[in-house]
Amino acid sequence: QVQFVESGGGLVQPGGSLRLSCVASGSTISIYTMGWYRQTPGKQRELVARITSGGNTDYADSVKGRFTISRDNAKNTVFLQVNNLKPEDTAVYHCITMYGNVPVGSWGQGTQVTVSS
């Protein structure tokens, strides 16, 4: 079973940037669609970005133009570049394999992103 370790989060001011990383182990992820989700207390996890095995991407409307998902299959890693951060982007960010629109597998610990002045 694939396991994920997310990193790269932190405390940033509004307008700041971060690069989140997700390293997978246990299996190659090159054949899978990968997604980045975020979750805040009391809310459902929200899909913010997705990348197919072929490199096609799509984004939630709330992050279009600010977030960029990418992958390095040789390193079994998925990235999320987050720019022009807003306080409403504050959340724990997770990556996961996806089957269609459905997340599949075990969630990692995630990485906390806090946007505050």
Side-chain angles (χ1 to χ4, degrees):
Q1 186 163 351
V2 185
Q3 295 183 322
F4 303 103
V5 177
E6 300 92 342
S7 63
L11 172 63
V12 296
Q13 293 186 339
S17 298
L18 290 169
R19 191 187 195 209
L20 309 184
S21 299
C22 168
V23 179
S25 62
S27 179
T28 180
I29 60 169
S30 62
I31 61 172
Y32 296 111
T33 292
M34 295 296 300
W36 277 97
Y37 282 76
R38 66 186 179 188
Q39 187 170 28
T40 54
K43 293 187 178 181
Q44 282 191 325
R45 280 192 182 99
E46 173 192 18
L47 176 63
V48 295
R50 181 171 51 185
I51 185 166
T52 68
S53 58
N56 293 318
T57 60
D58 61 77
Y59 300 91
D61 288 343
S62 59
V63 307
K64 277 181 184 175
R66 300 188 298 120
F67 289 13
T68 303
I69 188 171
S70 61
R71 64 193 303 160
D72 184 340
N73 289 332
K75 295 182 179 179
N76 229 28
T77 300
V78 182
F79 303 99
L80 187 68
Q81 178 68 40
V82 296
N83 297 329
N84 191 20
L85 283 161
K86 304 176 180 180
E88 53 263 41
D89 295 318
T90 296
V92 178
Y93 286 71
H94 300 265
C95 70
I96 195 80
T97 48
M98 299 189 70
Y99 186 75
N101 294 322
V102 179
V104 177
S106 298
W107 297 96
Q109 296 275 19
T111 186
Q112 174 72 49
V113 172
T114 302
V115 185
S116 174
S117 54

